Protein backbone atom coordinates (compact mmCIF):
# COMPACT_ATOMS: atom_id res chain seq x y z
CA UNK A 1 0.00 0.00 0.00
CA UNK A 2 1.22 3.56 -0.67
CA UNK A 3 2.52 5.50 2.33
CA UNK A 4 0.08 7.94 3.93
CA UNK A 5 0.15 11.47 2.57
CA UNK A 6 1.91 13.81 5.03
CA UNK A 7 -0.44 16.14 6.91
CA UNK A 8 1.32 19.25 5.61
CA UNK A 9 0.91 18.15 2.01
CA UNK A 10 -2.78 17.36 2.58
CA UNK A 11 -3.26 20.85 3.96
CA UNK A 12 -1.51 22.39 0.97
CA UNK A 13 -3.67 20.38 -1.43
CA UNK A 14 -6.81 21.48 0.43
CA UNK A 15 -5.65 25.10 0.37
CA UNK A 16 -5.03 24.82 -3.36
CA UNK A 17 -8.51 23.41 -3.96
CA UNK A 18 -10.10 26.19 -1.90
CA UNK A 19 -8.08 28.82 -3.77
CA UNK A 20 -9.12 27.32 -7.10
CA UNK A 21 -12.81 27.38 -6.20
CA UNK A 22 -12.47 30.95 -4.90
CA UNK A 23 -10.89 32.11 -8.16
CA UNK A 24 -13.59 30.34 -10.17
CA UNK A 25 -16.33 31.98 -8.08
CA UNK A 26 -14.63 35.37 -8.53
CA UNK A 27 -14.48 34.87 -12.31
CA UNK A 28 -18.19 33.98 -12.46
CA UNK A 29 -19.05 36.97 -10.26
CA UNK A 30 -17.05 39.33 -12.48
CA UNK A 31 -18.72 37.95 -15.60
CA UNK A 32 -22.23 38.28 -14.16
CA UNK A 33 -21.51 41.88 -13.18
CA UNK A 34 -21.00 42.74 -16.85
CA UNK A 35 -24.55 41.98 -17.93
CA UNK A 36 -24.60 44.58 -20.75
CA UNK A 37 -21.41 43.11 -22.21
CA UNK A 38 -22.82 39.59 -21.96
CA UNK A 39 -26.01 40.68 -23.72
CA UNK A 40 -24.02 42.39 -26.48
CA UNK A 41 -21.77 39.35 -26.89
CA UNK A 42 -24.74 36.97 -27.11
CA UNK A 43 -26.48 39.20 -29.67
CA UNK A 44 -23.31 39.37 -31.74
CA UNK A 45 -22.82 35.62 -31.53
CA UNK A 46 -26.36 34.94 -32.75
CA UNK A 47 -25.71 37.21 -35.73
CA UNK A 48 -22.31 35.66 -36.54
CA UNK A 49 -21.93 34.02 -39.98
CA UNK A 50 -22.56 30.30 -40.18
CA UNK A 51 -18.99 29.62 -41.33
CA UNK A 52 -17.62 31.37 -38.25
CA UNK A 53 -19.73 29.34 -35.84
CA UNK A 54 -18.80 26.16 -37.71
CA UNK A 55 -15.11 27.10 -37.51
CA UNK A 56 -15.39 27.70 -33.76
CA UNK A 57 -16.72 24.15 -33.44
CA UNK A 58 -14.19 22.67 -35.88
CA UNK A 59 -11.07 24.27 -34.32
CA UNK A 60 -11.14 22.23 -31.05
CA UNK A 61 -11.65 19.10 -33.15
CA UNK A 62 -8.42 19.93 -35.01
CA UNK A 63 -6.61 20.28 -31.68
CA UNK A 64 -8.02 16.91 -30.57
CA UNK A 65 -6.90 15.17 -33.78
CA UNK A 66 -3.46 16.76 -33.49
CA UNK A 67 -3.05 15.48 -29.91
CA UNK A 68 -4.15 12.01 -31.00
CA UNK A 69 -1.51 12.03 -33.73
CA UNK A 70 1.15 13.36 -31.34
CA UNK A 71 0.63 10.68 -28.71
CA UNK A 72 0.35 7.99 -31.40
CA UNK A 73 3.79 9.00 -32.73
CA UNK A 74 5.34 9.05 -29.24
CA UNK A 75 3.59 5.95 -27.86
CA UNK A 76 4.56 3.73 -30.77
CA UNK A 77 8.15 3.99 -29.58
CA UNK A 78 7.10 1.67 -26.72
CA UNK A 79 3.87 -0.06 -27.77
CA UNK A 80 1.96 -0.56 -31.01
CA UNK A 81 -1.33 1.34 -30.80
CA UNK A 82 -3.62 2.06 -33.74
CA UNK A 83 -4.05 5.72 -34.67
CA UNK A 84 -7.84 5.56 -34.43
CA UNK A 85 -7.67 3.95 -31.00
CA UNK A 86 -5.21 6.56 -29.74
CA UNK A 87 -7.37 9.38 -31.10
CA UNK A 88 -10.44 8.08 -29.27
CA UNK A 89 -8.38 7.54 -26.12
CA UNK A 90 -7.07 11.13 -26.23
CA UNK A 91 -10.58 12.44 -26.79
CA UNK A 92 -11.88 10.66 -23.71
CA UNK A 93 -8.84 11.79 -21.71
CA UNK A 94 -9.42 15.39 -22.83
CA UNK A 95 -12.99 15.28 -21.51
CA UNK A 96 -12.01 13.54 -18.27
CA UNK A 97 -9.30 16.14 -17.64
CA UNK A 98 -12.09 18.67 -17.10
CA UNK A 99 -12.62 16.86 -13.78
CA UNK A 100 -10.30 17.47 -10.80
CA UNK A 101 -6.98 15.62 -10.40
CA UNK A 102 -6.35 15.10 -14.15
CA UNK A 103 -8.61 12.06 -14.39
CA UNK A 104 -7.98 11.81 -18.14
CA UNK A 105 -4.23 11.45 -17.70
CA UNK A 106 -4.69 8.72 -15.10
CA UNK A 107 -7.30 7.00 -17.25
CA UNK A 108 -5.02 6.98 -20.29
CA UNK A 109 -2.14 5.50 -18.30
CA UNK A 110 -4.41 2.83 -16.76
CA UNK A 111 -5.94 1.93 -20.14
CA UNK A 112 -2.58 1.51 -21.85
CA UNK A 113 -1.35 -0.62 -18.94
CA UNK A 114 -4.40 -2.88 -19.06
CA UNK A 115 -4.90 -3.17 -22.83
CA UNK A 116 -1.40 -2.83 -24.28
CA UNK A 117 0.68 -3.93 -21.28
CA UNK A 118 2.50 -0.60 -21.39
CA UNK A 119 4.36 -0.08 -18.10
CA UNK A 120 3.40 3.01 -16.14
CA UNK A 121 7.01 4.24 -16.24
CA UNK A 122 6.88 4.22 -20.05
CA UNK A 123 3.61 6.18 -19.99
CA UNK A 124 5.36 8.71 -17.76
CA UNK A 125 8.21 8.96 -20.30
CA UNK A 126 5.71 9.53 -23.11
CA UNK A 127 3.99 12.27 -21.11
CA UNK A 128 7.33 13.95 -20.43
CA UNK A 129 8.24 13.77 -24.12
CA UNK A 130 4.90 15.41 -24.96
CA UNK A 131 5.67 18.23 -22.50
CA UNK A 132 9.10 18.65 -24.08
CA UNK A 133 7.55 19.03 -27.54
CA UNK A 134 5.08 21.58 -26.16
CA UNK A 135 7.84 23.54 -24.43
CA UNK A 136 9.91 23.65 -27.63
CA UNK A 137 6.92 24.69 -29.76
CA UNK A 138 5.97 27.45 -27.31
CA UNK A 139 9.60 28.62 -27.16
CA UNK A 140 9.67 28.87 -30.96
CA UNK A 141 6.42 30.86 -30.89
CA UNK A 142 7.76 33.25 -28.26
CA UNK A 143 10.97 33.71 -30.26
CA UNK A 144 9.03 34.49 -33.43
CA UNK A 145 6.82 37.00 -31.62
CA UNK A 146 9.88 38.67 -30.09
CA UNK A 147 11.46 38.85 -33.56
CA UNK A 148 8.30 40.46 -34.97
CA UNK A 149 8.22 43.06 -32.19
CA UNK A 150 11.91 43.86 -32.70
CA UNK A 151 11.46 44.13 -36.46
CA UNK A 152 8.42 46.35 -35.96
CA UNK A 153 10.43 48.67 -33.71
CA UNK A 154 13.15 48.97 -36.35
CA UNK A 155 10.70 49.49 -39.22
CA UNK A 156 7.53 51.23 -37.91
CA UNK A 157 6.33 51.78 -41.45
CA UNK A 158 5.58 48.08 -41.79
CA UNK A 159 3.15 48.11 -38.86
CA UNK A 160 0.05 48.00 -41.13
CA UNK A 161 1.49 44.79 -42.62
CA UNK A 162 1.97 43.20 -39.18
CA UNK A 163 -0.71 40.51 -39.42
CA UNK A 164 0.26 39.24 -42.92
CA UNK A 165 3.92 39.18 -41.85
CA UNK A 166 3.13 37.26 -38.65
CA UNK A 167 0.91 34.76 -40.48
CA UNK A 168 3.48 34.19 -43.24
CA UNK A 169 6.26 33.71 -40.70
CA UNK A 170 4.23 31.20 -38.70
CA UNK A 171 3.25 29.18 -41.79
CA UNK A 172 6.85 29.17 -43.05
CA UNK A 173 8.05 27.92 -39.65
CA UNK A 174 5.39 25.20 -39.65
CA UNK A 175 6.51 24.07 -43.11
CA UNK A 176 10.13 23.93 -41.94
CA UNK A 177 9.27 21.96 -38.79
CA UNK A 178 7.14 19.52 -40.80
CA UNK A 179 10.00 18.75 -43.19
CA UNK A 180 12.57 18.40 -40.38
CA UNK A 181 11.63 14.81 -39.33
CA UNK A 182 12.45 13.51 -42.80
CA UNK A 183 15.86 15.18 -42.62
CA UNK A 184 16.49 13.64 -39.19
CA UNK A 185 15.38 10.14 -40.20
CA UNK A 186 18.96 8.86 -40.47
CA UNK A 187 20.08 10.29 -37.11
CA UNK A 188 20.35 7.58 -34.42
CA UNK A 189 17.72 7.41 -31.71
CA UNK A 190 18.34 9.01 -28.32
CA UNK A 191 19.54 6.31 -25.94
CA UNK A 192 19.49 6.08 -22.17
CA UNK A 193 16.71 5.35 -19.67
CA UNK A 194 14.16 7.07 -21.93
CA UNK A 195 14.99 6.10 -25.54
CA UNK A 196 13.18 7.90 -28.33
CA UNK A 197 13.67 8.21 -32.09
CA UNK A 198 14.92 11.67 -33.03
CA UNK A 199 12.41 11.95 -35.84
CA UNK A 200 9.56 11.24 -33.42
CA UNK A 201 10.52 14.16 -31.20
CA UNK A 202 10.96 16.53 -34.15
CA UNK A 203 7.64 15.45 -35.64
CA UNK A 204 6.07 15.95 -32.21
CA UNK A 205 7.34 19.53 -32.15
CA UNK A 206 5.83 20.13 -35.60
CA UNK A 207 2.47 18.73 -34.45
CA UNK A 208 2.58 20.82 -31.29
CA UNK A 209 3.39 23.91 -33.35
CA UNK A 210 0.42 23.23 -35.62
CA UNK A 211 -1.82 22.84 -32.57
CA UNK A 212 -0.36 26.06 -31.17
CA UNK A 213 -1.40 27.84 -34.38
CA UNK A 214 -4.95 26.54 -34.10
CA UNK A 215 -5.26 28.19 -30.67
CA UNK A 216 -4.89 31.81 -31.89
CA UNK A 217 -7.35 30.99 -34.68
CA UNK A 218 -9.81 29.87 -31.98
CA UNK A 219 -9.29 33.09 -30.00
CA UNK A 220 -9.58 35.24 -33.14
CA UNK A 221 -12.83 33.52 -34.11
CA UNK A 222 -14.28 33.69 -30.59
CA UNK A 223 -13.46 37.37 -30.05
CA UNK A 224 -14.79 38.28 -33.49
CA UNK A 225 -17.98 36.28 -32.96
CA UNK A 226 -18.83 38.13 -29.73
CA UNK A 227 -18.23 41.54 -31.29
CA UNK A 228 -14.84 42.29 -29.68
CA UNK A 229 -12.42 41.51 -32.52
CA UNK A 230 -8.66 41.30 -32.01
CA UNK A 231 -5.99 41.21 -34.70
CA UNK A 232 -4.09 38.01 -35.47
CA UNK A 233 -0.95 39.00 -33.61
CA UNK A 234 -3.01 39.86 -30.51
CA UNK A 235 -4.76 36.50 -30.64
CA UNK A 236 -1.39 34.81 -31.03
CA UNK A 237 -0.02 36.54 -27.92
CA UNK A 238 -3.09 35.52 -25.89
CA UNK A 239 -2.85 31.93 -27.09
CA UNK A 240 0.88 31.71 -26.43
CA UNK A 241 0.53 33.06 -22.89
CA UNK A 242 -2.32 30.64 -22.15
CA UNK A 243 -0.17 27.72 -23.33
CA UNK A 244 2.75 28.89 -21.17
CA UNK A 245 0.42 28.91 -18.15
CA UNK A 246 -0.95 25.47 -19.04
CA UNK A 247 2.59 24.13 -19.48
Amino acid sequence: PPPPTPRRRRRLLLAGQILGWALLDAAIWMALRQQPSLTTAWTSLRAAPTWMVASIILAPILNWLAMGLLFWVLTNQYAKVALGEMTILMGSAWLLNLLPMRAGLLGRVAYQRAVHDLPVKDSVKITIFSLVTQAVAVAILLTLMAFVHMFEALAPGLRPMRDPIVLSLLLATLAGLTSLPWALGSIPAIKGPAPIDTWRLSLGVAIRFFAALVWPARYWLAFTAIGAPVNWSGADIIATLSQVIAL
Side-chain angles (χ1 to χ4, degrees), residues 216-245:
R218 291 170 64 174
Y219 278 109
W220 181 84
L221 288 166
F223 276 99
T224 303
I226 64 172
V230 295
N231 56 28
W232 177 263
S233 55
D236 192 61
I237 291 173
I238 297 172
T240 303
L241 290 177
S242 68
Q243 290 176 75
V244 170
I245 293 171

Short mmCIF file of all heavy atoms in Angstrom, two decimals, residues 216-245:
data_model
loop_
_atom_site.label_atom_id
_atom_site.label_comp_id
_atom_site.label_asym_id
_atom_site.label_seq_id
_atom_site.Cartn_x
_atom_site.Cartn_y
_atom_site.Cartn_z
N PRO A 216 -4.57 30.42 -31.57
CA PRO A 216 -4.89 31.81 -31.89
C PRO A 216 -6.05 31.95 -32.86
O PRO A 216 -6.81 32.91 -32.79
CB PRO A 216 -3.59 32.36 -32.49
CG PRO A 216 -2.77 31.18 -32.83
CD PRO A 216 -3.17 30.11 -31.88
N ALA A 217 -6.19 30.97 -33.78
CA ALA A 217 -7.35 30.99 -34.68
C ALA A 217 -8.64 30.87 -33.87
O ALA A 217 -9.64 31.56 -34.16
CB ALA A 217 -7.24 29.86 -35.70
N ARG A 218 -8.63 30.02 -32.84
CA ARG A 218 -9.81 29.87 -31.98
C ARG A 218 -10.11 31.17 -31.25
O ARG A 218 -11.27 31.60 -31.17
CB ARG A 218 -9.59 28.73 -30.99
CG ARG A 218 -9.54 27.36 -31.62
CD ARG A 218 -9.08 26.28 -30.67
NE ARG A 218 -10.00 26.10 -29.55
CZ ARG A 218 -9.87 25.15 -28.64
NH1 ARG A 218 -8.85 24.31 -28.70
NH2 ARG A 218 -10.74 25.02 -27.66
N TYR A 219 -9.08 31.82 -30.71
CA TYR A 219 -9.29 33.09 -30.00
C TYR A 219 -9.79 34.16 -30.97
O TYR A 219 -10.69 34.95 -30.64
CB TYR A 219 -7.99 33.54 -29.33
CG TYR A 219 -7.75 32.87 -28.00
CD1 TYR A 219 -6.74 31.93 -27.84
CD2 TYR A 219 -8.51 33.20 -26.89
CE1 TYR A 219 -6.50 31.32 -26.61
CE2 TYR A 219 -8.29 32.60 -25.66
CZ TYR A 219 -7.28 31.66 -25.53
OH TYR A 219 -7.06 31.07 -24.32
N TRP A 220 -9.17 34.23 -32.15
CA TRP A 220 -9.58 35.24 -33.14
C TRP A 220 -11.04 35.04 -33.51
O TRP A 220 -11.82 36.01 -33.57
CB TRP A 220 -8.69 35.14 -34.37
CG TRP A 220 -9.04 36.15 -35.42
CD1 TRP A 220 -8.62 37.45 -35.50
CD2 TRP A 220 -9.90 35.92 -36.56
NE1 TRP A 220 -9.17 38.06 -36.61
CE2 TRP A 220 -9.95 37.15 -37.27
CE3 TRP A 220 -10.62 34.83 -37.02
CZ2 TRP A 220 -10.70 37.29 -38.43
CZ3 TRP A 220 -11.37 34.97 -38.19
CH2 TRP A 220 -11.40 36.19 -38.88
N LEU A 221 -11.43 33.80 -33.76
CA LEU A 221 -12.83 33.52 -34.11
C LEU A 221 -13.77 33.86 -32.97
O LEU A 221 -14.83 34.48 -33.18
CB LEU A 221 -12.97 32.04 -34.48
CG LEU A 221 -12.36 31.60 -35.82
CD1 LEU A 221 -12.27 30.08 -35.89
CD2 LEU A 221 -13.19 32.14 -36.98
N ALA A 222 -13.40 33.47 -31.74
CA ALA A 222 -14.28 33.69 -30.59
C ALA A 222 -14.46 35.18 -30.32
O ALA A 222 -15.59 35.66 -30.11
CB ALA A 222 -13.71 32.98 -29.37
N PHE A 223 -13.36 35.94 -30.31
CA PHE A 223 -13.46 37.37 -30.05
C PHE A 223 -14.26 38.08 -31.14
O PHE A 223 -15.03 39.00 -30.86
CB PHE A 223 -12.07 38.00 -29.93
CG PHE A 223 -11.46 37.87 -28.56
CD1 PHE A 223 -10.54 36.87 -28.29
CD2 PHE A 223 -11.82 38.74 -27.54
CE1 PHE A 223 -9.98 36.75 -27.02
CE2 PHE A 223 -11.27 38.62 -26.28
CZ PHE A 223 -10.34 37.62 -26.01
N THR A 224 -14.05 37.66 -32.39
CA THR A 224 -14.79 38.28 -33.49
C THR A 224 -16.27 37.95 -33.40
O THR A 224 -17.12 38.81 -33.64
CB THR A 224 -14.22 37.80 -34.84
OG1 THR A 224 -12.83 38.09 -34.91
CG2 THR A 224 -14.94 38.47 -36.00
N ALA A 225 -16.58 36.71 -33.03
CA ALA A 225 -17.98 36.28 -32.96
C ALA A 225 -18.76 37.03 -31.89
O ALA A 225 -19.97 37.27 -32.05
CB ALA A 225 -18.06 34.78 -32.71
N ILE A 226 -18.11 37.43 -30.80
CA ILE A 226 -18.83 38.13 -29.73
C ILE A 226 -18.75 39.65 -29.88
O ILE A 226 -19.14 40.40 -28.98
CB ILE A 226 -18.31 37.73 -28.34
CG1 ILE A 226 -16.85 38.16 -28.16
CG2 ILE A 226 -18.47 36.23 -28.11
CD1 ILE A 226 -16.33 37.95 -26.75
N GLY A 227 -18.23 40.11 -31.02
CA GLY A 227 -18.23 41.54 -31.29
C GLY A 227 -17.09 42.30 -30.65
O GLY A 227 -17.19 43.53 -30.49
N ALA A 228 -16.01 41.63 -30.26
CA ALA A 228 -14.84 42.29 -29.68
C ALA A 228 -13.60 41.80 -30.41
O ALA A 228 -12.74 41.12 -29.83
CB ALA A 228 -14.74 42.00 -28.19
N PRO A 229 -13.49 42.11 -31.71
CA PRO A 229 -12.42 41.51 -32.52
C PRO A 229 -11.03 41.94 -32.07
O PRO A 229 -10.83 43.05 -31.57
CB PRO A 229 -12.72 42.04 -33.93
CG PRO A 229 -13.51 43.29 -33.72
CD PRO A 229 -14.32 43.06 -32.47
N VAL A 230 -10.07 41.03 -32.23
CA VAL A 230 -8.66 41.30 -32.01
C VAL A 230 -7.92 40.94 -33.30
O VAL A 230 -8.41 40.12 -34.09
CB VAL A 230 -8.08 40.49 -30.83
CG1 VAL A 230 -8.73 40.91 -29.52
CG2 VAL A 230 -8.27 39.00 -31.06
N ASN A 231 -6.76 41.57 -33.51
CA ASN A 231 -5.99 41.21 -34.70
C ASN A 231 -5.28 39.87 -34.48
O ASN A 231 -5.26 39.33 -33.37
CB ASN A 231 -4.99 42.31 -35.09
CG ASN A 231 -4.04 42.65 -33.94
OD1 ASN A 231 -3.75 41.81 -33.09
ND2 ASN A 231 -3.56 43.88 -33.92
N TRP A 232 -4.69 39.34 -35.55
CA TRP A 232 -4.09 38.01 -35.47
C TRP A 232 -2.93 37.96 -34.49
O TRP A 232 -2.79 37.02 -33.73
CB TRP A 232 -3.64 37.56 -36.85
CG TRP A 232 -2.96 36.22 -36.83
CD1 TRP A 232 -1.63 35.98 -36.79
CD2 TRP A 232 -3.60 34.94 -36.79
NE1 TRP A 232 -1.39 34.63 -36.74
CE2 TRP A 232 -2.58 33.97 -36.74
CE3 TRP A 232 -4.92 34.53 -36.80
CZ2 TRP A 232 -2.86 32.60 -36.70
CZ3 TRP A 232 -5.20 33.16 -36.77
CH2 TRP A 232 -4.17 32.23 -36.72
N SER A 233 -2.10 39.00 -34.51
CA SER A 233 -0.95 39.00 -33.61
C SER A 233 -1.41 39.07 -32.16
O SER A 233 -0.80 38.44 -31.28
CB SER A 233 -0.03 40.17 -33.94
OG SER A 233 -0.73 41.40 -33.91
N GLY A 234 -2.48 39.82 -31.88
CA GLY A 234 -3.01 39.86 -30.51
C GLY A 234 -3.54 38.52 -30.08
O GLY A 234 -3.31 38.07 -28.94
N ALA A 235 -4.26 37.84 -30.96
CA ALA A 235 -4.76 36.50 -30.64
C ALA A 235 -3.61 35.53 -30.42
O ALA A 235 -3.69 34.65 -29.55
CB ALA A 235 -5.66 36.01 -31.77
N ASP A 236 -2.53 35.70 -31.18
CA ASP A 236 -1.39 34.81 -31.03
C ASP A 236 -0.71 35.01 -29.68
O ASP A 236 -0.29 34.05 -29.03
CB ASP A 236 -0.39 35.06 -32.16
CG ASP A 236 0.67 33.98 -32.24
OD1 ASP A 236 0.31 32.82 -32.45
OD2 ASP A 236 1.86 34.31 -32.09
N ILE A 237 -0.62 36.27 -29.23
CA ILE A 237 -0.02 36.54 -27.92
C ILE A 237 -0.87 35.93 -26.81
O ILE A 237 -0.35 35.29 -25.89
CB ILE A 237 0.13 38.06 -27.72
CG1 ILE A 237 1.20 38.62 -28.68
CG2 ILE A 237 0.50 38.38 -26.29
CD1 ILE A 237 1.30 40.12 -28.68
N ILE A 238 -2.20 36.10 -26.89
CA ILE A 238 -3.09 35.52 -25.89
C ILE A 238 -2.95 34.01 -25.85
O ILE A 238 -2.86 33.40 -24.78
CB ILE A 238 -4.55 35.93 -26.16
CG1 ILE A 238 -4.71 37.45 -26.05
CG2 ILE A 238 -5.50 35.24 -25.20
CD1 ILE A 238 -6.07 37.94 -26.51
N ALA A 239 -2.94 33.38 -27.03
CA ALA A 239 -2.85 31.93 -27.09
C ALA A 239 -1.52 31.44 -26.56
O ALA A 239 -1.46 30.43 -25.84
CB ALA A 239 -3.04 31.47 -28.54
N THR A 240 -0.44 32.14 -26.89
CA THR A 240 0.88 31.71 -26.43
C THR A 240 0.99 31.80 -24.92
O THR A 240 1.47 30.89 -24.25
CB THR A 240 1.99 32.56 -27.07
OG1 THR A 240 1.87 32.48 -28.50
CG2 THR A 240 3.36 32.08 -26.67
N LEU A 241 0.49 32.91 -24.34
CA LEU A 241 0.53 33.06 -22.89
C LEU A 241 -0.31 31.98 -22.20
O LEU A 241 0.08 31.44 -21.16
CB LEU A 241 0.03 34.46 -22.50
CG LEU A 241 0.96 35.61 -22.86
CD1 LEU A 241 0.32 36.94 -22.50
CD2 LEU A 241 2.30 35.45 -22.14
N SER A 242 -1.48 31.67 -22.77
CA SER A 242 -2.32 30.64 -22.15
C SER A 242 -1.64 29.28 -22.18
O SER A 242 -1.78 28.48 -21.25
CB SER A 242 -3.68 30.58 -22.86
OG SER A 242 -3.53 30.09 -24.18
N GLN A 243 -0.87 29.00 -23.25
CA GLN A 243 -0.17 27.72 -23.33
C GLN A 243 1.01 27.68 -22.37
O GLN A 243 1.33 26.62 -21.81
CB GLN A 243 0.31 27.48 -24.76
CG GLN A 243 -0.85 27.20 -25.72
CD GLN A 243 -0.39 27.05 -27.14
OE1 GLN A 243 0.18 26.03 -27.51
NE2 GLN A 243 -0.62 28.05 -27.96
N VAL A 244 1.67 28.84 -22.15
CA VAL A 244 2.75 28.89 -21.17
C VAL A 244 2.20 28.57 -19.78
O VAL A 244 2.79 27.81 -19.01
CB VAL A 244 3.44 30.26 -21.20
CG1 VAL A 244 4.38 30.41 -20.01
CG2 VAL A 244 4.19 30.46 -22.50
N ILE A 245 1.04 29.17 -19.46
CA ILE A 245 0.42 28.91 -18.15
C ILE A 245 0.04 27.45 -18.02
O ILE A 245 0.26 26.81 -16.99
CB ILE A 245 -0.82 29.82 -17.98
CG1 ILE A 245 -0.38 31.29 -17.91
CG2 ILE A 245 -1.59 29.45 -16.71
CD1 ILE A 245 -1.52 32.28 -17.96
#
